[in-house]
Structure formats: structure tokens, C-alpha cells
Amino acid sequence: MVFPVNRAAGVVGAIMKSRLVNRLAIQNLLCHDESMMKNIAVFTSGGDAPGMNACIRAVARTAAYYGMEALGIIRGYEGMIENDFVSLPPREVAGILHLGGTLLKTARSKRFHTREGRDTAYAHLRARGVEGLVAIGGDGTFRGACDLTAECEIPVIGIPGTIDNDLEGTDFTIGYDTAINTVIEAVDRIRDTAESHNRLFIVEVMGKDAGLIALRSGIGSGAEAVLIPELPTDLEQVMERFEQGRKDKTSSIMIVAEGDQTGGALKAAERIERAYPHYDTRVSILGHIQRGGSPTCMDRVLASRLGVAAVEALRDGQHNVMAGVIHRDIAFTPLDQAVKHLRQPNPHFLHLLDVLST
Ligand code: F6P
């Protein structure tokens, strides 16, 4: 049915008004429920990842939506030990959605590995009246959260934030999409110069234990070979394939994850230069540029979804789980199961590489 403009505006207005009334009524109810959690804190920990700010924003705004107060902890577990907290009212997180890095800073805390460090941290959380925590990070962050929750009564919801994408319980981690797009852009540029000089470029990407960045960006950039930590590397076999295609190829790109068994791009290059001196070989280590930059739309949306889900999970009484996305839906996985155990590389992706790199 098509409404005349004025009538349509009236109907839409009435619906909006009744939704607003409902929403205010719900918020009112929530604010006056004495049993409801009122004070939560959020922190980022481990390696930063693009999209962490979008996630902090989502957590702070969701808390405000439900009438809760949000605190931010500076430098993750270190800030918990140092009693370094800031208030995060909704306007405080304006203008950060598109920014890389993390407004709350991050750290890898050695002190939190000790019982003394964790006791100090918990004392500060209690003194501030923190009733629930949102931990944004990767493997190390969640291990820390597991230790904390084993010793004290504070519910933690984890949010996967790492460029490595190496956690169980989620298809994607915040930052991964931005990182692989950064790699693709870099390799496209490298390909230009490789083509011009007929060179073999060995490009090292991040991933100490996981080859997911290497594998996906390898497919996306049309690399001729990808070396990853999860599989044994037979460099001679890889080079034999390069040799077969050498007659009609004007450039070759080999992507090496930093944790690959050859020992990274420099070691691989050394061996190749020695055994195949007829290749004009160059190495490019992309390093920390993969961790910086404005998050892609995928990462911003993922971060926003998970930030909202985490706060709602705390309100629902969930504890010690990670909020992730599996097959497009929000899914919760116990924190101790989310921590990294080497996922086998997707065989379909390996097949793609095999077929397409000929
Ligand atoms: O875990 C994220 C990550 O970027 C890894 O891919 C990389 O191996 C590591 O962090 C680098 O850590 P750092 O910034 O401490 O050198």
C-alpha cells in the first residue's frame, strides 16, 4: 500500500514515538532494577588491532544505553595493577570509530602473570566498584582473564581483537580484515616493481604461530607460493615449481609468514640465493604497518557488533566467555576454549593456491 506523503509521515512519526516511549520505559526499568550491573570496565591488551577503538566506542555506548557506567583501563592489565582508569561516558568515545590503534593503549603485562600482580589488580577493580569486565585482545589477554576469574569473582567477556585471526570460537577477529587488505595493497605495489625487473620477491607478513594472514593475502594478491607455520615447508619443492614456470613468468611473489619453519623471509632468501643464483631476489618485510591504519568497514562492523554483544552478555549474567561471530551469528565460547590452539589451515584455501599459482 502507498500512503499519501503526509499520512505516511504521520504513521512513521507515531511508530517512532511509540518506540521511543518503549525504549525510555525499558531504560527506566533497567536503571531502577537494583540487581542490575551498574559499573563495567573495558580494556585492550596484547598487540593492538585496527577496530579496537570502534569496539571501545560500542562498549561505552552500550553501557550508557542500558544506564550503566563504563570505565576504561589504560594499558590493559598494567593499568589494572597501576590503578589507571578513565571514565568513558558516551561522548568521550566520539570521533574514534575510524581510528587505528587503541585509545586505551595496550601492553603485554609480565606482572599480571604473578599472583601478586593479579591480587593488586583485583583490589583496584573492587575499590572502583567494577562489576564486570570486557577484555579486548587475543590469546594472552584471554589467558590472563582465565587466571583472574579463577581467583576472584568478576565476570569477564572477551572480545577477539588481533590481526592474527588465530582464536577458536569466531570466524574473524577484529583487525584481521584490515591487516590482510594492508598486505594486499603492499603486495600489489611490490608486484609492479617485481614485474619491471623480472624479480622474485619474498614478502614476510605477520603470524608467529598462524599462517592465516599469509594464506588469505596470498590468494588475494595472486602469490606464486605461501609458506606458513602450520605446514612443513619444502623450499626445494617450491623452487622446482618456480623453475617450471620461469620461462613465461616475469615476476614471482612468495609470501612467508614470520613463524614459518624456514625462519622467515631473510632465511628463505639466503637459501634461495645460494641454490638458485639465477634469480634476482629481493626481500620485503611488511612488519608493523600491518597493525596500523584505519579499520575497514568489515572490522568496524564486527567490532561494533561484538562490543554491543559483550555488554549485553554481562547484563544477561554470562561470564568468562568470548563473544565471536560464527556463520554470521553472534556466538559465545568459554574463554579457556577460545585461546589459541593451532587451527589447521583451510584445505580449500590450500587447494585454491595450488590451482591458481601455476
Ligand atoms: O599478535 C599480533 C602480532 O602482530 C603478531 O602477528 C606478531 O607476531 C606480534 O604481534 C608482534 O608483536 P610485537 O608488536 O610485540 O612485536
Side-chain angles (χ1 to χ4, degrees), residues 27 30-31 36 61-68 311-312 315:
Q27 275 181 322
L30 297 172
C31 296
M36 202 58 81
R61 294 220 165 145
T62 312
Y65 180 88
Y66 288 114
M68 302 154 105
V311 178
E312 292 182 341
R315 287 189 65 249

Side-chain angles (χ1 to χ4, degrees), residues 183-201 203 221-222 224 250-253:
V183 173
I184 294 285
E185 197 189 326
V187 176
D188 285 350
R189 287 165 194 257
I190 288 171
R191 179 73 79 176
D192 291 344
T193 174
E195 280 280 332
S196 308
H197 287 268
N198 284 10
R199 278 179 175 158
L200 160 63
F201 261 87
V203 182
S221 62
E224 277 72 17
T250 49
S251 71
S252 299
I253 303 278

Side-chain angles (χ1 to χ4, degrees), residues 47-48 108 162-164 206-208 213 258 288 291 340:
D48 60 301
R108 292 191 167 101
T162 163
I163 63 163
D164 294 339
M206 276 187 168
K208 266 197 302 279
I213 294 178
E258 61 180 330
H288 286 77
R291 285 235 298 258
K340 187 157 60 187

